[in-house]
Amino acid sequence: MLQRVTRQVVVFAVFVVLMGFAYSGYKAFGQSIDDKQHDWWAVGSVLPRTDDLNMPPILDILAEFNVIQGGTDKVLGRLLFEESLFTLREAALGFAVGTVVGMGIAMALARSKPLERGLLPYVVASQTIPLIAIAPIVVIWGRKNVDFMPWEWQDWMSVSIIATFLTFFPVAVNGLRGLQSPRPENLELMESYAASWNQTLWRLRLPASVPYLFAALKIAATASIVGAIVGEISAGVGGGLGRRIFLEAQRYTTGPERLYASVIGSAILGIFVFLVITGVERLVLGHQGREAVT
Amino acid sequence: MSAHAVAVKAASKVFNQGKSNEVHALDEIDLTVEDGEFITLIGPSGCGKSTLLRLIAALTEPTGGEVEVKGKSAEQARLDQDYGMAFQRAGLFDWRTVSKNIELPLELMGWSRGDRVRRAGEMLELVKLPEFGGHHPSELSGGMQQRVAIARSLAFSPSLLLMDEPFGALDEMTREHMQDELLRIWSETHTTVVFVTHSIPEAAYLSSRVVVMSPRPGRIATIVDVDLGDRSDDTREDPAFFEKVTEVREALRAVESA
Amino acid sequence: MSAHAVAVKAASKVFNQGKSNEVHALDEIDLTVEDGEFITLIGPSGCGKSTLLRLIAALTEPTGGEVEVKGKSAEQARLDQDYGMAFQRAGLFDWRTVSKNIELPLELMGWSRGDRVRRAGEMLELVKLPEFGGHHPSELSGGMQQRVAIARSLAFSPSLLLMDEPFGALDEMTREHMQDELLRIWSETHTTVVFVTHSIPEAAYLSSRVVVMSPRPGRIATIVDVDLGDRSDDTREDPAFFEKVTEVREALRAVESA
Amino acid sequence: MTQILGRLRRSTAPVIAGVVIVVGWELALLILNPGGFVLPPPSDIIGAVFENWSEVFDAARNTGFIIVTGLVVGVLVGVAAALLVTRFRLANEVITPLAVSLNAVPIIALAPIFNAWFGLLSPRSNQAIVVVLVFFPIFINTAKGLTQVEPSQIELMESYAAGKWTITREVRIPNAMPFFFTALKLSTSLAVIAAIVAEYFGGRQDALGPLITQSAGLTRYADAWAAVLAGTVIGGMLYVLTGALERVAMPWHTSMRADQQSN
Amino acid sequence: GDDDDDGAAAGDDAADDTGDDEPAELTEVALQLQWVPQSQFAGYFAAVELGFYEDVGLDVTVIEGGVDIVPATVLDSGGADFAISWVPRGLVPREEGLNITNIAQVFQRSGTLQVSFADSGINSVDDLEGKNVGNWGFGNEFELFAGLVSAGLDPTGDVTLVQQDFNMTALINGDIDAAQAMIYNEYAQLLETINPDTGELFQPEDLTIIDWNDVGTAMLNDAIWADADRLEDDADYRATAVAFVEASLKGWAHCRDNPQECTDIVVGVGTPFGGPAHQAWMMNEVNALIWPSPGGVGVMDDALYAQTVDIATSQGILASAPDDGAFRTDIAEEAVANLEAQGIDVTGTGFTKGVVEIAEGGE
Ligand SMILES: Nc1ncnc2c1ncn2[C@@H]1O[C@H](COP(=O)(O)OP(=O)(O)OP(=O)(O)O)[C@@H](O)[C@H]1O
Ligand SMILES: Nc1ncnc2c1ncn2[C@@H]1O[C@H](COP(=O)(O)OP(=O)(O)OP(=O)(O)O)[C@@H](O)[C@H]1O
Ligand SMILES: [Mg+2]
Ligand SMILES: [Mg+2]
């Protein structure tokens, strides 16, 4: 077990390093072609452009993490870490709300077959609505209409709601699968005990859905980060990785390394939340001697 | 007012009535099971054994006739939790420990925690797994899981036990062992058992009566009375036993070729 | 230079050798199978029956000793496609029709289309499913699927047939029917059969010799010779048959309690 | 005939639900009258579609091109990678967990970088986003389908002395089909989102992404939602097309499913 | 939410009570910016930091913008009390039914340019024909469209319009021939970038610019917008508006005279464009867009307004000319009078644009 984890970590590290070499290798190759004025149409069209503006050298990108950023007294790495925490907070709330909403939908659909038939297609279709279309709705309604809450509405919560829009979906779909996963004889067993729908839900359907739920939560955790990042870009909150990425994109011309570094930061955050959920999954399912589903 | 454990009266069951995929699963079944009897249902696949068992359990409704359990309607008996049930797959809940699995029906019946724990302990004694209460089902072998399932079905002392091929997934030696266990429990608890099986020797070994069913539509073809006295390992090698095996086989052959 | 169909010589198999989860599956197995013999392997779950069969099929390598098939190495026999194989689950490919499933090994051996179609037709006749060639496996019952699997394993007329609990998933009546079919085909085609089963009556009914294995590590405990002559329905009710059943059971009991 | 009737009956529930949603939406806005114009009533959106038909249609065609080409390339690359990975044990052990964790990277963040790489004007930069986003589910699911084969089926093929490639062709690929189609259905909606978000970071202006942002930027929300609707329609069409492809590619599988549905 | 309609009731008291011993209760005001904090909004940040708002009884919260945040919508829906928006981006929503009004026209000129490389041969609008012309959309493209039309070109046929990324990379890469750039931001970004051919920073000589102010198709940029209905119905809100405009303009006057201090303030509040040199450049250029304001800072210049409306209607951006309620000058005039009473220069007649050093990356 521990061995396997170490192995995977090592493999991952090796892969990352290899990617770095591939990147640098391709860049060197492309530049030598440019230098020699060869005309390789593929470079710069099907394949990326290789000059420093478009593919900054890896070492520059890494070094950028340790560069103090203008107007602050912090290095970029530190700033990215703080932005990550900001994004993580949004994502965590979105994740929590999305899980609850998704499970609620799953339970409603599991309860009634016609409801499932009627609504499931729309749950699926909802995911083709671009986040950017709902961002202004959420932000404005959040500020304006959510006065009934016991705490004051913060703009970052709007971003969470946007993240919720991405997270509820996998939870709803997989949750439904999970709630429907008990074998017929297990359902009949509950029926033979004259158990009510609620009793069956709590004692059979919900526990049975746990492995499916974890599979969904892994997707949802990642999706919540994506949602938070896109939401930050859209909604104008005072921080976060998404805003950082967007702003670094704006001043890309004068510092491409910063954008690369920020994207790497977001990748680390995404993988981090994924690993957290995977860890919890192993703990919970392993304790019960159950298999994870994918 | 009958004292029968189960009384099935002219019960029929048609699935998907009136549709193109209509199935006449059971046709005018009459069957009474006396208190304390061990009855086995046997017949070719699809002849309606499970359906009959589920009618008795009121997990499905007859489309004709009626089913009484302990002198009341089957549905009432279900609501009164008058029977315990076990299936081919042990059907334990992975996420509950063995003890908690056995406690499940007790929880649903509102037993107190203390009572539940005590009863689960007793049941584990009964099925000879006292030290496994804290384990999760995945840590148990198939035979042990099946024993837990039986313990679960007996936990609230139902006077009627309905079993649908409970040993179907076990290998032959384990299966014979489980048969002996079940007979021991049956004689200790004086439960009435209705037992579905595919295995002729199993039917002959276990039951007081073997109900042989014919398919399409499901009917009771013959009932073979078995009286082998107290069963033991020797019974399995007893000519009287082989005779009953042959009798049941013959009945089945007749059904199949019809 | 032996003329044995199969010769297993002091073969051992250790899984995960040297690791913490090392399993000693087979230990110094010696077994010869003569041409045209029907041999059955029986034993408690996990005793290595499937492993032994897979050694013969060269689907896995022995960690000690050697396995010869038709006088050459097992691996060579596999490459020469000297045997046919059938498993507990029919293992038909859902995406091929019944005919196409039977044609699969022929395709791989480079038969022409015409020859394949003709042979598939013959095979469907043999297993009494001539009208089902165009169906997909999912449209067939379990017993019918298993018959198709047997047809597939026989399609290229291998002189050796390896079968791993091929009837395990069938109900008893279908199973007995399939046993008769298999014996008929066996006597018609003069194939050598090595057959793994859990069922004592099945072992006794089918084989010329029953190999009883003991677990951990897998060894051959006893070999029971069976000579019931031509089998028929009556054989199953024959005291001589019950005797053999009892003999195999006793051997198994001994193995279990050891 | 009965089949058609059956299908019709099965589709009544979604139709009823759709009508309820649309009418409810319209009424809710009418009664609550929240103001702010941000979420326009369906009638306005439909009106906007007709009013700007040629603009919306052109944009949908341009974005549709990105979606479809990106989807096709992403699917091809994903399947090819999956085939490659299952041929090599080490690759399988290593690349699959890797792909799963890489899938956790917010790909959207790559959009500005791809613009630099492939050029703002080239469709490649937006296609690349679609390709990468589509790649992961296709790859992971297909690889799963190629590897999660019944061991006995592989052994059967080995007993015929079949080679690795034969086994892949005869067993692994057919076995992977249902997994592949599940992923493909998921990918259709991913492709739509990916294309629109990518357009957000630049590209041609007569496309759905700019149409949405520009209209919203000028508070012409009905126009924006008309473009959203166009995206949803593209996604829906691809979804239906995938379903049809699935039925053609796996007749054996659908026949099974039809049985299950009738139960 | 942040908004608090009733809170505005305290506005009057606050304005009157400034002399009292008791610390007056401040009126809460939310200001929606069109974009993230940068020197473009230095006047407002200066007014916050230097206490100008507090002096007039306001407690101002500045809300930064985002890509999908339309200040007009936020304002109209009550998400903010005032908003900064370009004039066209206020007039279109107004035509769509959002009742907002321009109460102070802060920027008197347009900062939008079309930038090309000198060697591309694009020196005038005519030269754009057949070229890939970048623009951001979001209403930023109207000046370009009008400029093209004035040169006899069809924006949808004679040029290829490209949805521009938010930086100048596409121009450097040659993906587009002319890029939209704000003189105070993207143009500077180009000058802060190393020219790969020379190894030095890009020089102004390397670039040609088309300035819409010169072409005559400039549209008015940053203005302060308020909720027109509330102005009508709520006297307190109007008083708050006067106080808000007054303190904001005071901030801008301060930044005119102390550009370095204001740059520091902006950097201090955490502009994401961290580079102090870049913000200094922006401060300098923004000042030049505001000053001189011959009619008084914040007071609408009728000629420029007419030009803006003219372009908007001729381009079909607006269906018809906006009604009279689209802007009002009374509030700005009142504020300017108050400022003059305090002896503050509200026209900046003597203003001359300073010179700011370009630093690599704007750091
Ligand atoms: N829910 C159902 N809907 C439609 N048909 C059903 C249903 N349940 C059972 N049937 C049909 O009723 C018949 C009897 O089924 P049942 O399961 O009772 O048979 P069985 O004797 O238990 O078979 P087996 O030995 O295979 O378990 C079969 O033909 C089956 O297909
Ligand atoms: N690939 C493998 N890796 C490790 N252990 C294995 C492997 N295959 C089989 N074993 C182990 O070898 C032993 C024999 O297995 P095998 O499958 O041959 O038993 P069997 O007699 O066929 O059992 P059953 O009756 O349950 O089919 C078992 O303990 C099993 O766990
Ligand atoms: Mg049954
Ligand atoms: Mg085996």
Side-chain angles (χ1 to χ4, degrees), chain C residues 4 8 10 19 25-26 32 36 44 46 72 110 112 117-118 133 136 145 160 171 193 205 210 220 227 240 250:
Chain C
H4 302 309
V8 181
K19 299 206 192 130
L26 292 176
T32 49
K72 46 195 164 183
S112 77
V117 171
R118 191 156 21 78
H136 277 282
Q145 288 187 19
L160 173 62
D171 74 79
V193 181
Y205 186 70
V210 179
I220 294 179
D227 186 10
E250 297 282 308

Side-chain angles (χ1 to χ4, degrees), chain B residues 73-95:
Chain B
S73 78
E75 177 65 13
Q76 192 53 50
R78 180 176 76 87
L79 295 176
D80 293 350
Q81 296 167 314
D82 277 338
Y83 63 84
M85 197 148 191
F87 299 90
Q88 171 164 14
R89 299 161 161 269
L92 300 179
F93 295 177
D94 290 338
W95 50 90

Side-chain angles (χ1 to χ4, degrees), chain A residues 49 53-54 70-71 132 140 143-144 147 152 233-238 243 246-247 249-254 258, chain E residues 1-2 32 35 63-69 73-74 77 166-169 172-173 175 189 193 267 272-274 363:
Chain A
R49 296 164 165 153
L53 178 62
N54 296 304
I132 46 182
I140 288 165
R143 278 192 204 157
K144 191 184 159 188
D147 279 339
E152 198 173 344
I233 293 175
S234 291
V237 287
R243 191 179 87 136
F246 185 69
L247 296 169
Q250 281 192 71
R251 53 182 191 149
Y252 182 86
T253 317
T254 57
R258 285 187 298 247
Chain E
D2 286 319
Q32 175 68 55
W35 203 233
I63 306 169
E64 69 173 77
V67 186
D68 286 326
I69 297 305
T73 314
V74 176
S77 66
F166 297 90
N167 56 56
M168 290 291 107
T169 310
I172 297 177
N173 279 333
D175 294 338
Q189 216 181 71
T193 305
V267 171
F273 299 111
E363 297 289 339

Side-chain angles (χ1 to χ4, degrees), chain B residues 44-45 171-173 176 198-201 233 236-237 242 245-246 249-250 252-253 256, chain C residues 45 171-173 176 180 198-201 233 236-237 242 245-246 249-250 252-253 256:
Chain B
S45 190
D171 74 77
E172 191 127 322
M173 290 278 100
E176 291 188 356
H198 265 128
S199 160
I200 301 167
D233 251 10
R236 296 189 197 274
E237 298 170 4
F242 288 130
V245 167
T246 303
R249 159 167 303 103
E250 298 281 309
L252 270 173
R253 289 259 143 176
E256 290 258 306
Chain C
S45 189
D171 74 79
E172 192 124 323
M173 288 282 101
E176 290 189 355
D180 290 328
H198 264 131
S199 160
I200 301 168
D233 252 9
R236 295 188 196 275
E237 299 170 3
F242 289 131
V245 168
T246 302
R249 160 169 300 106
E250 297 282 308
L252 269 173
R253 289 257 143 178
E256 290 259 303

Side-chain angles (χ1 to χ4, degrees), chain A residues 46 226 230 245 263, chain D residues 66-75 103 105-119 122-137 187 189-202:
Chain A
V46 181
V226 173
V230 175
I245 286 169
V263 170
Chain D
I66 300 287
I67 293 172
V68 172
T69 48
L71 187 64
V72 168
V73 175
V75 166
N103 195 23
V105 174
I107 305 291
I108 302 297
L110 289 177
I113 291 181
F114 283 177
N115 276 333
W117 278 11
F118 301 107
S122 156
R124 221 97 55 200
S125 49
N126 291 349
Q127 282 163 331
I129 290 288
V130 179
V131 168
V132 177
L133 222 65
V134 164
F135 171 82
F136 283 105
S187 299
S189 60
L190 274 181
V192 174
I193 297 209
I196 290 179
V197 174
E199 282 167 354
Y200 191 63
F201 284 89

Side-chain angles (χ1 to χ4, degrees), chain E residues 26 31 43-60 62 224 243-249:
Chain E
L26 298 176
L31 171 66
Y44 314 105
F45 288 113
V48 171
E49 293 297 316
L50 303 173
F52 298 166
Y53 288 129
E54 220 177 299
D55 292 345
V56 294
L58 304 181
D59 174 11
V60 173
V62 180
I224 301 173
F244 177 75
V245 171
E246 177 191 329
S248 302
L249 296 177

Side-chain angles (χ1 to χ4, degrees), chain E:
Chain E
D2 286 319
D3 97 290
D4 188 356
D5 285 19
D6 304 335
D12 254 358
D13 310 333
D16 297 344
D17 291 351
T18 32
D20 287 6
D21 298 334
E22 299 255 313
E25 203 178 308
L26 298 176
T27 305
E28 285 187 11
V29 168
L31 171 66
Q32 175 68 55
L33 298 184
Q34 192 175 311
W35 203 233
V36 293
Q38 54 183 352
S39 295
Q40 183 189 355
F41 310 111
Y44 314 105
F45 288 113
V48 171
E49 293 297 316
L50 303 173
F52 298 166
Y53 288 129
E54 220 177 299
D55 292 345
V56 294
L58 304 181
D59 174 11
V60 173
T61 310
V62 180
I63 306 169
E64 69 173 77
V67 186
D68 286 326
I69 297 305
V70 183
T73 314
V74 176
L75 176 62
D76 179 73
S77 66
D81 300 299
F82 302 102
I84 307 300
S85 174
W86 288 11
V87 172
R89 294 190 66 183
L91 292 181
V92 173
R94 194 180 152 81
E95 193 172 77
E96 293 289 319
L98 277 61
N99 197 10
I100 59 171
T101 186
N102 178 336
I103 56 170
Q105 183 57 46
V106 180
F107 284 20
Q108 300 283 337
R109 277 155 283 274
S110 165
T112 322
L113 308 175
Q114 208 68 28
V115 182
S116 319
F117 282 111
D119 57 14
S120 70
I122 297 173
N123 296 309
S124 68
V125 185
D126 306 299
D127 300 330
L128 291 176
E129 183 167 6
K131 303 287 187 190
N132 291 326
V133 180
N135 72 88
W136 293 305
F138 292 113
N140 297 300
E141 72 277 29
F142 300 148
E143 294 168 286
L144 166 66
F145 286 12
L148 290 170
V149 169
S150 74
L153 297 174
D154 174 6
T156 56
D158 293 333
V159 300
T160 306
L161 293 171
V162 178
Q163 174 68 40
Q164 202 169 304
D165 211 341
F166 297 90
N167 56 56
M168 290 291 107
T169 310
L171 181 69
I172 297 177
N173 279 333
D175 294 338
I176 50 178
D177 302 304
Q180 199 161 58
M182 298 311 293
I183 190 166
Y184 49 77
N185 199 359
E186 288 80 8
Y187 179 63
Q189 216 181 71
L190 265 177
L191 298 177
E192 291 160 358
T193 305
I194 304 268
N195 180 346
D197 294 337
T198 61
E200 312 260 310
L201 296 178
F202 280 111
Q203 298 300 310
E205 308 84 79
D206 298 335
L207 307 165
T208 56
I209 56 178
I210 296 170
D211 185 336
W212 301 117
N213 293 304
D214 302 338
V215 176
T217 58
M219 296 174 97
L220 286 164
N221 285 13
D222 294 26
I224 301 173
W225 297 77
D227 185 322
D229 291 332
R230 278 173 74 192
L231 281 179
E232 289 305 321
D233 305 342
D234 182 353
D236 294 336
Y237 177 66
R238 189 184 176 283
T240 305
V242 172
F244 177 75
V245 171
E246 177 191 329
S248 302
L249 296 177
K250 189 171 172 186
W252 281 116
H254 187 84
C255 288
R256 173 194 60 207
D257 301 331
N258 308 281
Q260 191 53 51
E261 185 187 351
C262 282
T263 303
D264 293 343
I265 287 174
V266 171
V267 171
V269 300
T271 172
F273 299 111
H278 185 77
Q279 293 302 327
W281 170 283
M282 190 183 293
M283 186 73 251
N284 188 41
E285 293 294 339
V286 163
N287 271 336
L289 295 179
I290 302 175
W291 312 103
S293 289
V297 63
V299 180
M300 181 65 84
D301 177 325
D302 288 329
L304 275 169
Y305 180 73
Q307 177 176 321
T308 304
V309 167
D310 190 40
I311 291 169
T313 45
S314 67
Q315 289 305 300
I317 299 155
L318 288 174
S320 58
D323 58 12
D324 291 341
F327 76 95
R328 51 197 284 178
T329 52
D330 57 325
I331 291 171
E333 279 160 355
E334 217 175 306
V336 165
N338 288 346
L339 290 173
E340 273 184 313
Q342 295 170 39
I344 290 169
D345 174 8
V346 292
T347 57
T349 340
F351 173 81
T352 44
K353 192 165 150 183
V355 178
V356 172
E357 278 295 304
I358 284 287
E360 186 191 339
E363 297 289 339

